Short mmCIF file of all heavy atoms in Angstrom, two decimals:
data_model
loop_
_atom_site.label_atom_id
_atom_site.label_comp_id
_atom_site.label_asym_id
_atom_site.label_seq_id
_atom_site.Cartn_x
_atom_site.Cartn_y
_atom_site.Cartn_z
N ASP A 157 92.12 36.07 78.53
CA ASP A 157 93.53 35.75 78.26
C ASP A 157 93.85 35.90 76.77
O ASP A 157 94.91 36.43 76.40
CB ASP A 157 93.84 34.32 78.72
CG ASP A 157 93.84 34.20 80.23
OD1 ASP A 157 93.95 35.24 80.91
OD2 ASP A 157 93.72 33.05 80.74
N GLU A 158 92.95 35.43 75.91
CA GLU A 158 93.15 35.57 74.46
C GLU A 158 93.18 37.05 74.06
O GLU A 158 93.98 37.46 73.23
CB GLU A 158 92.04 34.84 73.70
CG GLU A 158 92.08 33.34 73.82
CD GLU A 158 93.29 32.73 73.12
OE1 GLU A 158 93.72 33.28 72.08
OE2 GLU A 158 93.80 31.73 73.65
N LEU A 159 92.28 37.84 74.68
CA LEU A 159 92.24 39.27 74.37
C LEU A 159 93.50 39.96 74.84
O LEU A 159 94.02 40.86 74.16
CB LEU A 159 91.01 39.91 75.05
CG LEU A 159 90.75 41.39 74.73
CD1 LEU A 159 90.46 41.58 73.24
CD2 LEU A 159 89.60 41.90 75.56
N LYS A 160 94.05 39.53 75.95
CA LYS A 160 95.29 40.13 76.47
C LYS A 160 96.45 39.85 75.53
O LYS A 160 97.32 40.71 75.33
CB LYS A 160 95.58 39.57 77.86
CG LYS A 160 96.68 40.29 78.60
CD LYS A 160 96.79 39.77 80.01
CE LYS A 160 97.79 40.59 80.80
NZ LYS A 160 97.91 40.14 82.18
N LEU A 161 96.46 38.64 74.94
CA LEU A 161 97.52 38.32 73.98
C LEU A 161 97.39 39.16 72.72
O LEU A 161 98.40 39.55 72.11
CB LEU A 161 97.47 36.82 73.63
CG LEU A 161 97.83 35.85 74.75
CD1 LEU A 161 97.61 34.42 74.28
CD2 LEU A 161 99.28 36.06 75.17
N GLU A 162 96.17 39.47 72.30
CA GLU A 162 95.93 40.27 71.10
C GLU A 162 96.26 41.75 71.34
O GLU A 162 97.02 42.34 70.60
CB GLU A 162 94.49 40.13 70.62
CG GLU A 162 94.16 38.81 70.00
CD GLU A 162 94.90 38.57 68.71
OE1 GLU A 162 95.00 39.52 67.90
OE2 GLU A 162 95.39 37.46 68.52
N SER A 163 95.61 42.33 72.38
CA SER A 163 95.78 43.76 72.61
C SER A 163 95.62 44.06 74.11
O SER A 163 94.57 43.79 74.69
CB SER A 163 94.75 44.55 71.81
OG SER A 163 94.74 45.90 72.21
N GLU A 164 96.69 44.64 74.69
CA GLU A 164 96.65 45.00 76.11
C GLU A 164 95.65 46.12 76.36
O GLU A 164 94.97 46.14 77.38
CB GLU A 164 98.06 45.42 76.56
CG GLU A 164 98.19 45.75 78.03
CD GLU A 164 98.06 44.55 78.93
OE1 GLU A 164 98.43 43.44 78.51
OE2 GLU A 164 97.57 44.72 80.06
N GLU A 165 95.54 47.05 75.40
CA GLU A 165 94.62 48.19 75.55
C GLU A 165 93.16 47.72 75.58
O GLU A 165 92.37 48.15 76.42
CB GLU A 165 94.83 49.17 74.39
CG GLU A 165 93.99 50.41 74.47
CD GLU A 165 94.23 51.32 73.28
OE1 GLU A 165 95.36 51.39 72.77
OE2 GLU A 165 93.25 51.96 72.86
N LEU A 166 92.80 46.80 74.67
CA LEU A 166 91.44 46.26 74.67
C LEU A 166 91.16 45.45 75.94
O LEU A 166 90.06 45.47 76.48
CB LEU A 166 91.22 45.39 73.43
CG LEU A 166 91.13 46.14 72.09
CD1 LEU A 166 91.03 45.14 70.95
CD2 LEU A 166 89.94 47.07 72.10
N TYR A 167 92.19 44.74 76.41
CA TYR A 167 92.03 43.96 77.65
C TYR A 167 91.73 44.88 78.83
O TYR A 167 90.85 44.60 79.64
CB TYR A 167 93.31 43.15 77.90
CG TYR A 167 93.31 42.45 79.24
CD1 TYR A 167 92.56 41.30 79.45
CD2 TYR A 167 94.07 42.96 80.30
CE1 TYR A 167 92.57 40.67 80.67
CE2 TYR A 167 94.07 42.33 81.53
CZ TYR A 167 93.32 41.18 81.71
OH TYR A 167 93.32 40.55 82.93
N GLN A 168 92.46 46.00 78.94
CA GLN A 168 92.23 46.94 80.04
C GLN A 168 90.82 47.54 79.97
O GLN A 168 90.17 47.74 80.99
CB GLN A 168 93.28 48.06 80.03
CG GLN A 168 94.68 47.60 80.40
CD GLN A 168 94.75 47.01 81.79
OE1 GLN A 168 94.03 47.42 82.69
NE2 GLN A 168 95.63 46.02 81.97
N LYS A 169 90.36 47.83 78.73
CA LYS A 169 88.99 48.35 78.58
C LYS A 169 87.96 47.29 78.93
O LYS A 169 86.89 47.60 79.46
CB LYS A 169 88.77 48.86 77.16
CG LYS A 169 89.46 50.17 76.88
CD LYS A 169 89.13 50.67 75.50
CE LYS A 169 89.86 51.96 75.22
NZ LYS A 169 89.57 52.46 73.86
N ALA A 170 88.26 46.03 78.64
CA ALA A 170 87.31 44.95 78.89
C ALA A 170 87.13 44.68 80.39
O ALA A 170 86.04 44.31 80.82
CB ALA A 170 87.75 43.68 78.17
N ILE A 171 88.20 44.87 81.16
CA ILE A 171 88.07 44.58 82.59
C ILE A 171 87.56 45.79 83.39
O ILE A 171 87.36 45.67 84.60
CB ILE A 171 89.40 44.07 83.19
CG1 ILE A 171 90.52 45.11 83.05
CG2 ILE A 171 89.80 42.75 82.59
CD1 ILE A 171 91.78 44.73 83.80
N GLN A 172 87.33 46.91 82.72
CA GLN A 172 86.75 48.08 83.40
C GLN A 172 85.29 47.78 83.76
O GLN A 172 84.59 47.09 83.03
CB GLN A 172 86.80 49.32 82.50
CG GLN A 172 88.18 49.83 82.20
CD GLN A 172 88.79 50.54 83.39
OE1 GLN A 172 88.09 51.20 84.12
NE2 GLN A 172 90.09 50.37 83.56
N VAL A 173 84.83 48.31 84.89
CA VAL A 173 83.44 48.12 85.30
C VAL A 173 82.58 49.11 84.52
O VAL A 173 82.88 50.30 84.44
CB VAL A 173 83.28 48.36 86.81
CG1 VAL A 173 81.84 48.23 87.24
CG2 VAL A 173 84.15 47.39 87.59
N ASP A 174 81.48 48.61 83.93
CA ASP A 174 80.57 49.45 83.16
C ASP A 174 79.39 49.84 84.05
O ASP A 174 78.53 49.01 84.34
CB ASP A 174 80.09 48.70 81.92
CG ASP A 174 79.26 49.58 81.00
OD1 ASP A 174 79.25 50.81 81.21
OD2 ASP A 174 78.63 49.03 80.09
N PRO A 175 79.31 51.12 84.48
CA PRO A 175 78.19 51.50 85.35
C PRO A 175 76.85 51.51 84.63
O PRO A 175 75.80 51.38 85.26
CB PRO A 175 78.57 52.91 85.83
CG PRO A 175 79.59 53.40 84.89
CD PRO A 175 80.25 52.21 84.26
N ALA A 176 76.86 51.62 83.30
CA ALA A 176 75.61 51.64 82.55
C ALA A 176 75.05 50.23 82.34
O ALA A 176 73.91 50.08 81.93
CB ALA A 176 75.82 52.32 81.20
#
Side-chain angles (χ1 to χ4, degrees):
D157 290 341
E158 292 292 327
L159 185 62
K160 191 174 186 179
L161 292 175
E162 288 294 318
S163 170
E164 183 69 31
E165 183 181 326
L166 289 175
Y167 173 76
Q168 290 300 328
K169 286 184 181 179
I171 61 172
Q172 294 285 324
V173 177
D174 186 12

